[in-house]
Amino acid sequence: MTNIDIIVFAPLLAAIIAGLGNRMLGNTVAKAITTGALFLSCALSWPIFFGFLSGSTSTSVVPVLDLIHSGDLNVSWSLRVDALTAVMLVVVTSVSALVHLYSWGYMAEDDSQPRFFAYLSLFTFAMLMLVTADSLVQMFFGWEGVGLASYLLIGFWYHKPSANAAAIKAFVVNRVGDFGFSLGIFGTFLVFGTVSIPVILAAAPGMAGSTIGFLGGRFDTMTVLCLLLFVGAMGKSAQLGLHTWLPDAMEGPTPVSALIHAATMVTAGVFMVCRLSPMFQTSPFAMHTVTYVGAATALFAATVGTTQTDIKRVIAYSTCSQLGYMFFAAGVGAYGAAMFHLFTHAFFKALLFLGAGSVIHSMHHEQDMRHYGALRKHIPITFWTMTAGTLAITGVGIAGVFGFAGFYSKDAIIEATFASGTTSGGIAFAIAVFAALLTSFYSWRLLFLTFFGKARWAGSEHIQHAVHAHHDHPEHEHPDEEGAGSDPHAAHGPVVTGTAGYHPHESPWSMLVPLILLTLGAMFAGFLFHGPFIGAEEGAGFWKGSVYFDEHLMHAMHGVPLWVKYSATAVMLTGFAIAWWAYIKDTSIPGRFTATFRGLYAFLLNKWYFDELYDLLFVRPVFAIGRFFWKAGDVGTIDRFGPDGVAAMVVGSGAAARRLQSGYLYTYALVMLLGLSAVATWAMLR
Amino acid sequence: MSMIASLALTLPELILSTGALLLLLVAAWGGDGSSRLISWASVALLAIAGLSLGCANGVAFDGLYKADAFSNFAKALVYAAAAVSILIAPRFFEARGAMRAEYPILILLSSVGMGMMVSATDLLTLYVGLELQSLAAYVLASFMRRDSRSAEAGLKYFVLGALASGILLYGISLLYGFTGTTQFGGVATALGDGISHGELFGLVFVMAGLAFKISAVPFHMWTPDVYEGAPTPVTAFFASAPKVAAMALLVRIAVDAMGPATSSWQQIVIFAALASTILGGVAAIGQVNIKRLLAYSSINNVGFALFGLAAGTPDGVAATMSYMAVYIVMTLGSFLCVLQMRNAAGDAVEDIASLSGLSRTRPGLAAAFAIFMFSLAGIPPLFGFWPKFLVFDALVAIGLWPLAMIGIATSVIGAFYYLKIVKTMYFDEPAPAYAPSASRMENGLIALSAVAVSPLGYLAIPLLGALSMAAARALF
């Protein structure tokens, strides 16, 4: 039993115990077992990470069991630990452990806490399976496992129709991506004859330039495989086109959003691209595609993020946008930078989500920022930790001295896109800088709307409810759906100000401790670790080939012109200034702006009309086809002539047989004689 | 072969016939008051006769009679079914003031006839045995002679039975006329040279006469009326012992006497099997009387058993005999449950609707009934699945898989009405409760049969499989 076994299987064991024991165990025992298991995993993960940092640990593969032996297909289940895995291990176990702890406070009043904690631990196990995968099949197992856990947790409050709808949406949209991923795995097996990742990566360069028949045409083998695998990554990481499930996934409890939909699961796509980076390197076309998709997502999500009013949705779009950053970093070949941003992002985004959860908790489950304001003094710890998170995501820092986490990772990505020198890199650079402006704007907007200005709590139904009836219904969260027609900035016109006599309380310590710990990560993760992750020489020593490491690009990245280096900081300050001007100095600006650019505003508010478009293109036709097959095909044809028709025929002949059974002897004798004659005739004539 | 040796081979029949005659004397002296004693004595005689089966093997009376593994297997089933039919009778008839000492004796005499049938290797023995069985049966059907339904049943059975006997006798005379012998072996030799039209007619008529006894379609018309009208213990008897005997006789004559003309009778058997399974399934739907429904169920089951014979192979015959073995347990169990259907006043009720909600008023009875129904429907893991599987397996083995598929499809129709009874018992609103069970012995028999057809029955497969295979091998 090695450490990695304990790290991976302790959460599974805890999930089984808490899940099956459920109410028999009671809340406290179930919570203690799952949280304890996660802290154990976490405590064992950090030494592995530090071992790779110091260079004292080398790649190891721990076999668990032989999974499948069938013909040429050999799948063994083994836990691979290299530098890339080590990074993911600390991210997953740390955030998961803190989220478990945080949930003690956040879910304190929920009815089914053992179930919640069992799901959380189950998710963690699946995620660990994913990141320790030594074969594509095992990765797919973890991939589906996190999808399942995500589905269960989004729909955790299953009595809410909106939560069920969101859970189903997440599952179905991910199925599209998973279909691509599974096709990619099949194709890889077809081409390489194996699903073992190290073997595939070693053989990949030799396959460059070969072609494969696909959908009736001949295409470059590696391009086809990489694009198929990338479709899977797009689904899981909510990239443009397959992103629609992520904002809706905010229906789940906030700790879930922090763990799954910010820090870990959604980064699985980035991890997969990095893990398979030698494959992607063989196909420039696939790399360009990754870059463009990432850049488009970063831009799209950032623009939408500026108009949302639900605090969790703002952060969700922010996540989507940051995932775009990671993808185009990988797309230009800067896998180290992508993983670095994944690493720092996990801390500050989990921090922002958990902070938002703390705000929601104190505001009696009100999630609409229009009904916040002036919370700075009431929940100071939450305020300061979220401020640290905002400083981290916007990338505040002074080069060469100190910066928050995002300063190092995001700037590295921006510099890498510029340094790559390709067209796609150039476009990505322009978008990255613009998206950084938007990031800064919406992040500060969130902070200002929530913590500064006048209290606007009186307009909130949740607050009114809390003031008038002094009991909580945490399971009955009713987040205001921002309808397409409503004007979220109306609050800045006829503002409903006032506290309505409500007194927000700071969250309990079980929630504040994870916030404070994550604050440390948001502050120092970039400063401490930027050397090993993206340093030109140090990086090669750290990654040791677990990702494709382009030393040349890393050198070029550090040698970009000065204006490139400062562009990120400049737009960050600009964004801050705009946000300050519009939400602190003169709060009438947003209202006037939306009145002037009504079309643009509606376009962004409605998320570029993606949901409506998909509804029109896919959902309605599918429903129509389904209805047709149901009414005309199944009921009208198969049932009518199949089961129903046969049944009616049987019943009908039963009635006929009963009529024949008249009760008269002569009828019976006649039937016997007729039968005899018929049989004799048949026997003679045959 | 000496007369003594021949008599030794017919020991079971000797025991039963002399015993029956002695008991008749006892009945004449003791009157109806001795009926319980005579019942137990009859059961003891059947048990002794059953025990004497093991030592008999050989041909007696110059080829008129044969004791072999096949006849022993069939006789064991017949005696067991007859014993159960005697055991369940007294309580039923006493409640109606109609218990007569002749009832067990008639069953004994019928059993002698059935023993003759399964051992017959000559057309004459065949007919004597058949008539002995039938005459006793006609009387049994109208045993409650003051009850109009019982009298009607007896009359119908008698008239139609006479017609069937006429058909059979005509067939026998044709066979004798064209082959010059009444011995099965001689008939087979004659048929081996090619089959003439006269022989073919004889064959068809003999089979038709026997099909009446097993109530295969289209010679089944008497079954629902007689089953419904006859007293329930008699119906249980009709559905079990004579079915086994007639089926065994049909198998023996088809294989022993008509073996060379297999292709001629195979199609007739296939037709009868298909028609029986389909009509037995279809006509049962919509029945409201449980005994009538079980009559159609027996037609349906006989069809499945005929599938085994239709294969015409040792495996097929073994499957048919296994089928009959499991069938009599299922059907006797079902009739035992029907006997429990008495309203609060103690009168028998036969409405299926009165079973509503039985699971709440009599959970044990409902569970047993459900087991029999599931088993009759052939739903695994209940034991009724196994013989169905065997007959279809035999069909598939000789390439008759389309027939097997049709058979499986028709078993779905049967499943519908069996499951409907289960649904009535378990999901419908309770009807007025039945009178509580008054007989520990009947409860014990129900439990025993339920266990036998439950998945535990699979433990008997090695024994039952070996015995039925040995029986089939004795014919080929």
Side-chain angles (χ1 to χ4, degrees), chain A residues 11 50 59 98 115 121 158 165 219 279 283 326 378 402 405 418 497 532 558 650-651 656 663 684:
Chain A
F50 284 124
T59 302
L98 293 176
R115 183 164 64 92
S121 293
Y158 52 82
F219 301 96
M279 263 178 98
S283 168
M326 297 174 208
H378 297 277
F402 175 79
F418 184 85
T497 52
H558 293 293
V650 165
V651 172
M684 297 308 282

Side-chain angles (χ1 to χ4, degrees), chain A residues 46-77:
Chain A
W46 280 94
I48 296 179
F49 180 58
F50 284 124
F52 278 100
L53 277 182
S54 65
S56 61
T57 312
S58 57
T59 302
S60 65
V61 176
V62 179
V64 179
L65 53 86
D66 278 343
L67 213 52
I68 302 171
H69 273 291
S70 172
D72 293 338
L73 181 65
N74 290 315
V75 183
S76 61
W77 179 2

